[in-house]
Amino acid sequence: MYMVGSVPQGPEVVACYIRVHSNVDEDTTRYFADFEQEMKDRKVNIKGSSLTLVDSEDHHKLTVVQSDDLVPSTDFEMWHKCKEAYIAQVTDPHRGIPASELHVFPAEITACYYEAEMPVILEQDYRILHPEVVALLEDKERLEVFFRAVALGMIKVDDSKGQPYWAFKLPGDVDPLYVTVPSARLDGRSEDDIFDVIHNFVMEGHDQRPGMGEAKNVNWDKLRDAILVTQRELGKNKTIKRYQEEVDSPKGIIQKMRADVENRRSKVSNTNLRTVIGQEYLDLADLATVVYRVGISIVTDDSCPSRQTGDISSVWSVC
């Protein structure tokens, strides 16, 4: 999709990549050098280094890929026009199409659920989640289980053995599963990025120590059972308090993300740049807030989980 009149002169830049195993011997090197020059002679609109010969490990195939860059950066406002049209379509109460019906991949469909919930629960305008957040949404239940396990103390930063790392341990377990790997340096390192932590736990689900491979994995069934048991042992009021503290406490991951973004933005004078710095962390913080508030509303409800809507209510239940 292109703006009318945005590319009247054709592509702004044309690039061509030739991928082939060309350096077998002097003859093949010379042959493909001639081939490259012939391509440049025939395709005069490809300038200099924009036509590149790239080595390949495949000895039996030659691949030619050409790209036409049609839209100059001055015309990127069309993305915003398309975004506005999309939001208008999916939020129209009379003729709108459910956002999930316009997507194919599971992570995108899951994102549609949160994008619809955020305006209702957080009283915000409808917005599209940052791609970095969407990339974590392949499995909705596992993502939400991650946040519950954090609030219940099953996933946390462990600094008891030296350098801090994120550890996962079920009640009764002796050794933790390393969600991140502690630094080997004496002076340590900066804190683990929460996106890496979630990716390692939700997407990979195994111990991150070198040499462990997938020998030690997250047992998702045991984790769900442990959450249920812990919630029942805590009782309704204490369970709600744990989840609410994770939303409000300066020490919780949600407020830490918000504070970090605010600190980073405060150091930037350019207003336009400042508004986009750390948006992925604010989106993740809002998503996590939705997870906890939905959970709190379910725990607060006196009805049994079978009467709740949604596919995760049974994990929240303290009935």
Side-chain angles (χ1 to χ4, degrees):
M1 183 181 296
Y2 305 106
M3 291 185 66
V4 177
S6 64
V7 287
Q9 305 302 322
E12 292 285 320
V13 178
V14 177
C16 184
Y17 303 92
I18 305 166
R19 186 170 181 265
V20 65
H21 186 62
S22 62
N23 58 346
V24 178
D25 52 36
E26 291 184 3
D27 290 337
T28 57
T29 301
R30 184 168 53 253
Y31 174 85
F32 284 109
D34 293 341
F35 176 81
E36 181 181 2
Q37 186 58 51
E38 179 69 18
M39 289 286 288
K40 289 181 178 179
D41 293 341
R42 292 191 179 196
K43 295 182 174 292
V44 293
N45 59 334
I46 302 179
K47 297 179 176 64
S49 61
S50 294
L51 195 153
T52 308
L53 196 67
V54 182
D55 192 37
S56 171
E57 294 182 357
D58 191 328
H59 293 202
H60 308 282
K61 182 169 64 176
L62 180 149
T63 305
V64 178
V65 177
Q66 179 173 311
S67 64
D68 294 354
D69 296 338
L70 299 176
V71 186
S73 60
T74 53
D75 285 334
F76 280 179
E77 69 266 18
M78 70 178 184
W79 182 88
H80 296 284
K81 293 181 182 295
C82 292
K83 176 184 175 182
E84 292 168 4
Y86 169 82
I87 293 176
Q89 181 67 54
V90 300
T91 57
D92 189 320
H94 303 295
R95 59 182 180 86
I97 300 174
S100 59
E101 294 185 9
L102 300 175
H103 297 273
V104 175
F105 298 107
E108 295 175 342
I109 294 172
T110 301
C112 293
Y113 163 79
Y114 290 113
E115 289 164 356
E117 289 295 311
M118 285 163 59
V120 178
I121 296 175
L122 305 181
E123 298 181 349
Q124 299 176 347
D125 291 339
Y126 186 98
R127 75 174 189 273
I128 298 171
L129 289 171
H130 192 283
E132 292 285 348
V133 177
V134 178
L136 300 176
L137 304 182
E138 288 287 336
D139 192 310
K140 178 175 178 286
E141 183 182 85
R142 289 185 179 183
L143 178 77
E144 297 187 349
V145 163
F146 168 85
F147 287 117
R148 296 165 210 162
V150 168
L152 297 174
M154 299 175 194
I155 302 174
K156 60 184 178 181
V157 175
D158 188 334
D159 58 0
S160 62
K161 298 180 181 179
Q163 301 291 3
Y165 67 98
W166 281 79
F168 162 62
K169 187 163 67 172
L170 292 174
D173 283 356
V174 176
D175 298 316
L177 180 150
Y178 283 59
V179 181
T180 62
V181 180
S183 173
R185 294 167 48 193
L186 182 62
D187 57 351
R189 62 176 180 187
S190 58
E191 292 184 4
D192 291 297
D193 189 286
I194 189 61
F195 279 86
D196 293 334
V197 175
I198 296 174
H199 172 85
N200 291 351
F201 189 81
V202 175
M203 308 292 285
E204 296 190 13
H206 61 78
D207 198 298
Q208 296 295 311
R209 285 173 291 180
M212 291 295 294
E214 297 186 14
K216 191 168 187 177
N217 301 300
V218 176
N219 187 319
W220 296 100
D221 290 334
K222 285 187 177 180
L223 175 53
R224 293 186 192 95
D225 289 344
I227 289 174
L228 282 171
V229 170
T230 301
Q231 289 182 157
R232 288 168 182 160
E233 289 176 347
L234 288 172
K236 181 185 297 185
N237 292 337
K238 289 184 179 180
T239 298
I240 292 172
K241 183 179 179 181
R242 288 282 188 96
Y243 294 137
Q244 190 61 52
E245 285 178 346
E246 203 57 47
V247 174
D248 298 332
S249 172
K251 296 181 179 180
I253 57 176
I254 291 176
Q255 294 305 323
K256 281 185 177 180
M257 284 191 283
R258 297 192 192 282
D260 180 63
V261 172
E262 183 176 349
N263 180 55
R264 289 166 57 193
R265 288 184 174 182
S266 68
K267 299 176 182 179
V268 178
S269 58
N270 185 299
T271 303
N272 292 330
L273 180 59
R274 189 189 309 129
T275 57
V276 299
I277 289 176
Q279 186 59 49
E280 65 272 31
Y281 294 94
L282 296 183
D283 284 0
L284 183 60
D286 282 347
L287 185 151
T289 302
V290 168
V291 170
Y292 286 122
R293 288 191 178 174
V294 169
I296 289 170
S297 67
I298 292 174
V299 172
T300 303
D301 196 316
D302 289 329
S303 61
C304 287
S306 61
R307 296 175 62 184
Q308 303 295 338
T309 59
D311 58 334
I312 52 89
S313 58
S314 61
V315 185
W316 291 102
S317 171
V318 291
C319 291

